[in-house]
Amino acid sequence: MIEVHALHKTYETHQAVIDLSFTVSPGEVLGLVGPNGAGKTTTMRCITGILQPSSGHIVVAGADVVQDPVAAKRNLAFIPDEPHLFDYLTIHEHMQFYARVYNVADRDARASALVSEMELTEKLHALPGTLSRGMKQKVAIACGLLHSPKLVLFDEPLTGLDPIAIRRIKQTIKRLAAAGSAIIISSHLLGLVEEIATTVLLMQNGRKVLHGTLAQIRESAPDLREKGLEEIFLRATGYENDANATRETQP
Amino acid sequence: MSSALRWLILRQIAGGTRYRLSRLKNPRYAVPALLGIGYFGLIFVGNVFRPGEANEARQVRDYFHVLVGPVFAMLFATTWLFAPARPAPLFTLPDASQLFVMPLTRRQLLNFRLLKAQFAILILSMLAGLFALRSADVKPWFAAASAFTLMNLMALNAMAASIVVNRILNAGLTRFVPPLPGVLMLAVLASVLAIQYQPIEFGQTNVLPWAREVFHTGPAAIVLWPFHQLALLPGAQNGADFGRGMAAAAGFAAVLYGLTMMLVSPFEERALALAENVGKVIKAKRGGNWASLALEKRKSLRSTSLKLAPTGKPWVAIFWKNVVAEWRIGTWRVAAVVAVISVLGVSVARVVGVNKGFWALVMGMSAAFGMMFTTFVPRLLATGLHLEIRRAPLLKALPIRGHDLLRGTAWAGALLSAIPLGAFATMAGIALSTGIEEGFEFGPYAVAGALPLGIAVCGLMVVLESGLVLMVPAWVVTNPGEAGVEAVGRNMLSFLVRFVLGGLLLSVPVGIGVGVGAAIWVAGAPGAGLVAGGLIAAALVALEVELMAYLLGIRFNSMEPGEEG
């Protein structure tokens, strides 16, 4: 569904992403994790066509994001960590607009189902200014999923959500994957990634550090067999070694 | 353009209008709106019933035709010169973050951007049409259509410049090349004007024949010809002028639009960065006092040598925090640079020697700008209470009293205003002693007396404005993100209070200062009289500032945190 080949992205002198390659197949949920500044958001933005790769190729549902961005974007949805909705459009109008852009055939039925799933029915005619952050996040998700995208990118999808909404969003992500969408989730919530991701890609300083299913990653390091993603993360990024070294040097 | 984008624009206009109308049920919006509407009514209703004189209109038309062309040329060229600072079309954050990931072509996005501006341009054009009612000869419809066309051309020019620079940057030419188109344009303009330059005697020569000679003959006539045709639009009185102007505008539009669409290349990255930056600035402004903190995240922000290390009394902490934040925001740094350049320019003119007309101009403009500045200084402060009071719950949680808050805010505003006021006073002093009254050796004394008074008056204006915010926050608190008739009404309300109360409060100190100064002057020490009069008046105004800060501070102390809503 998505193929990333030798992606490089440089900002002036800073190399944000270095030689990154991976694929995500239909039904796969990729957890994109890494410390701050690892290059996760840059990678997501390159995939969505907002940023131009310095080199490399990104192919979404058979369309190259740089060569044929419109075709590629038709098949993807990007749910950013900070939802910026249109100030003077109601929730209902947001849904209508997305349906028009993506030319969704059964727009009313799909919109109604998503609004209900995100528990937005009562707020349908409210302006974004009157909504909480979590509600705005739900609106962004509902709008993004309206055209049944083949690839969905979530950037910190659970920020600002209450426990019930978190449960809902997790179920939605699982439902999307079961329906054949490829999913990429960038998150610092390693518990979430561990729970719903089928594969994990760990980045650090713009480079791929680990990639595979959790089982494969555990296989690669015998001492991590019984460990969770958090321990794997800390070990792979070198934090745990540094912390041990610091403890040993302390009197 | 995509029909969905057209739908989006119309829905946003409808939604915005509906929202603004519905909130008028609330007095906090209704009162400023009524004031704003009243203000525009006073301007325009009079025009409808009292058209101006025909000969006035003809003169205006001549001035427009001769002088506006070069101004347009300069505006067009400077837009290109500064385009590297804005190397992509300007989208709002919601537009950028949602539309850039949608299956829309870049040309569709650019057309959307151009079309989205039309509603605001249309409203402004209608105001221009209403304004033209004052003229007996200028047709309101011509004026409205001309304003609409010219504003669109400016927008198109800005977009074309940003797209060309974006293309240059995408080609990897990041050094020297991006500003080159603008530099070349300005160089051509400067060259042709230098060839035909003739000295002018300000105040003694009629400007019109001089300008006609400089701008409408020789190579300038050829280079500026398209702009001279555009200049027929603003004062168009007949179909021929209007038609020629519109034909030129169509030519410009075709070239600029063609260039934009032809050279468009990936701009999303830079446009998103710009949108995020603008978003941060708006957020910082809405945050008022915390603007400096939000602005610190901007990459372009430079550090300042002013350190935020207040010690001692709380009002000193507020004072320093405001000074540092304002300095970081940059407006006052720009003002300082402009002030220094202006004073240097006037000093050079003094050495070179220019005629009396020039000095009269300097004197008049210094006085006018000085007064305008003093009146509007509270609204120039991003740390002013008209913005900051939105953070009342946070302010109330700090261990500060109202007196400290107002004192710190007022004296920070006063200190910051010293630089521009010093420039105005110095320029006026030079003009006074050089060109207005030859042999008048008291210019420096006049400056020494006027400057402290001006600074104290600025402090008074800030404390009055802040006081009004505390007394009726719902009517005065502004949100920089929302322009419109209500903002005009709010500004008018605060201006009226500052004007009336300020006049009353100044009358006694200035009266005493003038009296003392005059007595010393008559006693044979004119210079000392000027200084003493100014200082006494300044000291008395400063006392009033302290008294007002104390009294209004009580209101802050008794205020509920959420009172400002």
Side-chain angles (χ1 to χ4, degrees):
Chain A
M1 193 53 57
I2 175 170
E3 297 162 32
V4 177
H5 300 289
L7 175 68
H8 283 262
K9 177 63 188 172
T10 307
Y11 297 110
E12 293 174 2
T13 54
H14 171 64
Q15 287 193 303
V17 179
I18 304 161
D19 195 24
L20 181 66
S21 299
F22 65 90
T23 59
V24 186
S25 311
E28 184 179 336
V29 180
L30 176 78
L32 190 57
V33 295
N36 291 329
K40 304 185 297 294
T41 300
T42 300
T43 303
M44 303 269 267
R45 286 184 169 186
C46 284
I47 293 170
T48 54
I50 295 174
L51 301 184
Q52 293 292 303
S54 302
S55 65
H57 297 284
I58 300 167
V59 180
V60 175
D64 188 294
V65 170
V66 176
Q67 303 298 327
D68 191 0
V70 173
K73 289 175 184 178
R74 197 166 284 134
N75 290 302
L76 64 82
F78 177 50
I79 318 296
D81 57 339
E82 177 84 39
H84 294 289
L85 304 175
F86 299 113
D87 287 342
Y88 297 123
L89 247 55
T90 64
I91 309 313
H92 178 62
E93 286 170 334
H94 272 86
M95 304 289 283
Q96 278 185 299
F97 173 61
Y98 273 73
R100 281 167 185 265
V101 170
Y102 290 96
N103 209 11
V104 179
D106 51 344
R107 63 177 71 168
D108 290 337
R110 283 202 54 77
S112 175
L114 281 164
V115 162
S116 171
E117 185 177 343
M118 295 292 148
E119 294 167 325
L120 291 166
T121 312
E122 286 177 14
K123 296 283 182 183
L124 211 51
H125 299 288
L127 290 174
T130 62
L131 302 180
S132 67
R133 196 191 176 288
M135 292 290 255
K136 286 180 192 170
Q137 185 77 351
K138 287 183 187 176
V139 175
I141 293 172
C143 288
L145 302 185
L146 193 62
H147 64 288
S148 308
K150 292 177 181 166
L151 170 67
V152 189
L153 299 105
F154 290 95
D155 195 358
E156 292 293 354
L158 304 185
T159 312
L161 296 181
D162 61 42
I164 301 164
I166 288 174
R167 165 78 61 93
R168 284 268 175 175
I169 303 299
K170 283 182 194 170
Q171 286 169 346
T172 301
I173 293 171
K174 285 175 184 169
R175 177 181 63 74
L176 285 169
S181 293
I183 314 280
I184 300 179
I185 300 172
S186 168
S187 181
H188 289 301
L189 301 175
L190 299 178
L192 164 79
V193 174
E194 195 167 4
E195 185 183 339
I196 60 175
T198 52
T199 49
V200 174
L201 197 160
L202 172 60
M203 291 181 74
Q204 190 177 24
N205 299 326
R207 293 180 190 277
K208 181 167 74 177
V209 178
L210 291 172
H211 184 206
T213 63
L214 268 177
Q216 286 170 334
I217 292 170
R218 287 187 183 116
E219 282 294 317
S220 65
D223 58 328
L224 291 175
R225 275 207 185 126
E226 301 301 316
K227 305 287 185 185
L229 183 58
E230 188 175 325
E231 284 82 2
I232 295 171
F233 179 95
L234 294 174
R235 178 72 61 85
T237 53
Y239 176 83
E240 201 162 74
N241 296 337
D242 292 346
N244 289 337
T246 308
R247 270 196 295 274
E248 282 168 15
T249 55
Q250 280 175 349
Chain B
M1 193 179 70
S2 155
S3 62
L5 292 176
R6 277 198 296 273
W7 183 90
L8 173 67
I9 291 169
L10 291 175
R11 281 289 167 154
Q12 281 185 311
I13 292 170
T17 310
R18 207 166 39 232
Y19 170 71
R20 283 168 190 273
L21 288 175
S22 69
R23 72 181 183 183
L24 288 179
K25 284 180 263 180
N26 185 336
R28 72 157 44 190
Y29 293 106
V31 171
L34 281 174
L35 270 169
I37 290 166
Y39 169 72
F40 281 111
L42 281 174
I43 293 176
F44 294 122
V45 173
N47 290 349
V48 175
F49 296 111
R50 184 170 35 79
E53 297 293 323
N55 60 343
E56 278 176 19
R58 266 192 290 279
Q59 278 180 7
V60 167
R61 185 247 187 207
D62 286 346
Y63 272 97
F64 272 168
H65 190 201
V66 174
L67 295 170
V68 170
V71 173
F72 281 161
M74 285 298 290
L75 279 175
F76 269 65
T78 44
T79 301
W80 283 78
L81 185 70
F82 291 114
R86 216 192 76 176
L90 199 58
F91 287 85
T92 65
L93 206 44
D95 287 349
S97 63
Q98 292 186 74
L99 303 184
F100 288 1
V101 294
M102 288 180 164
L104 300 164
T105 64
R106 293 189 182 101
R107 291 193 175 98
Q108 285 177 323
L109 291 171
L110 293 180
N111 284 325
F112 163 77
R113 185 66 196 85
L114 289 171
L115 196 61
K116 195 182 170 187
Q118 297 307 306
F119 184 63
I121 292 178
L122 196 66
I123 298 286
L124 290 172
S125 307
M126 283 162 64
L127 291 180
L130 282 172
F131 200 70
L133 286 169
R134 186 156 180 74
S135 160
D137 290 329
V138 177
K139 303 276 184 294
W141 286 109
F142 282 174
S146 299
F148 184 78
T149 307
L150 290 171
M151 280 188 272
N152 266 307
L153 268 191
M154 292 294 171
L156 199 50
N157 184 50
M159 180 172 279
S162 66
I163 289 294
V164 169
V165 170
N166 181 63
R167 180 77 181 229
I168 292 171
L169 291 170
N170 282 349
L173 303 166
T174 52
R175 287 187 150 209
F176 309 119
V177 185
L180 222 50
V183 171
L184 283 173
M185 285 180 197
L186 280 174
V188 170
L189 279 179
S191 307
V192 293
L193 294 179
I195 291 168
Q196 281 170 259
Y197 177 73
Q198 296 173 11
I200 180 171
E201 279 284 300
F202 283 103
Q204 292 181 12
T205 312
N206 188 346
V207 172
L208 216 52
W210 173 85
R212 201 168 272 136
E213 189 66 26
V214 174
F215 300 131
H216 288 255
T217 59
I222 300 165
V223 171
L224 294 175
W225 184 82
F227 296 100
H228 288 321
Q229 305 311 305
L230 272 187
L232 290 167
L233 281 177
Q237 294 168 18
N238 55 55
D241 278 1
F242 183 72
R244 278 170 62 194
M246 288 303 265
F252 268 102
V255 170
L256 292 169
Y257 187 76
L259 200 67
T260 304
M261 293 301 154
M262 198 171 69
L263 294 181
V264 62
S265 61
F267 57 73
E268 293 89 342
E269 183 172 346
R270 294 190 183 93
L272 184 66
L274 278 173
E276 283 175 343
N277 226 0
V278 173
K280 278 180 194 170
V281 171
I282 290 174
K283 197 174 171 184
K285 281 186 173 175
R286 283 179 180 170
N289 210 351
W290 278 259
S292 61
L293 295 178
L295 284 167
E296 264 183 313
K297 290 174 186 164
R298 294 177 64 192
K299 282 183 182 171
S300 60
L301 191 78
R302 290 180 192 155
S303 62
T304 165
S305 51
L306 291 172
K307 301 295 179 199
L308 186 59
T311 52
K313 296 171 181 169
W315 82 268
V316 181
I318 298 285
F319 171 84
W320 273 113
K321 189 264 301 165
N322 282 0
V323 170
V324 172
E326 292 285 348
W327 196 253
R328 283 222 167 116
I329 289 162
T331 315
W332 300 93
R333 273 195 309 230
V334 174
V337 172
V338 172
V340 169
I341 291 171
S342 305
V343 171
L344 280 176
V346 171
S347 305
V348 169
R350 185 171 188 245
V351 174
V352 173
V354 285
N355 57 55
K356 278 194 172 185
F358 174 80
W359 291 119
L361 191 71
V362 171
M363 183 73 191
M365 288 185 77
S366 299
F369 281 121
M371 276 192 277
M372 266 174 59
F373 176 80
T374 310
T375 314
F376 288 103
V377 72
R379 292 261 144 179
L380 298 175
L381 295 170
T383 58
L385 280 199
H386 62 293
L387 295 159
E388 186 165 75
I389 204 69
R390 287 173 181 275
R391 300 275 187 174
L394 210 52
L395 283 172
K396 297 287 285 186
L398 294 172
I400 51 167
R401 293 169 304 147
H403 180 208
D404 300 318
L405 179 69
L406 288 165
R407 205 179 185 196
T409 308
W411 291 122
L415 177 73
L416 288 162
S417 64
I419 301 167
L421 273 184
F424 291 132
T426 308
M427 287 191 289
I430 293 173
L432 190 66
S433 56
T434 309
I436 309 288
E437 283 291 329
E438 278 180 42
F440 181 81
E441 68 266 35
F442 304 116
Y445 298 105
V447 173
L451 185 57
L453 178 60
I455 293 169
V457 173
C458 284
L460 182 68
M461 291 297 150
V462 176
V463 88
L464 281 177
E465 162 94 4
S466 306
L468 184 64
V469 172
L470 291 176
M471 301 310 284
V472 277
W475 289 352
V476 189
V477 171
T478 51
N479 184 347
E482 289 179 13
V485 76
E486 291 154 18
V488 174
R490 283 174 181 146
N491 284 334
M492 281 186 60
L493 189 66
S494 75
F495 173 75
L496 277 174
V497 169
R498 271 179 280 136
F499 191 74
V500 176
L501 276 180
L504 284 172
L505 286 166
L506 282 177
S507 57
V508 174
V510 171
I512 293 172
V514 167
V516 173
I520 299 173
W521 182 302
V522 170
L530 286 170
V531 176
L535 286 176
I536 287 169
L540 291 172
V541 174
L543 279 177
E544 285 181 341
V545 172
E546 290 292 329
L547 184 66
M548 295 287 292
Y550 179 77
L551 293 174
L552 292 165
I554 296 169
R555 160 69 181 154
F556 175 81
N557 296 338
S558 63
M559 223 173 149
E560 290 295 322
E563 210 169 318
E564 89 301 344

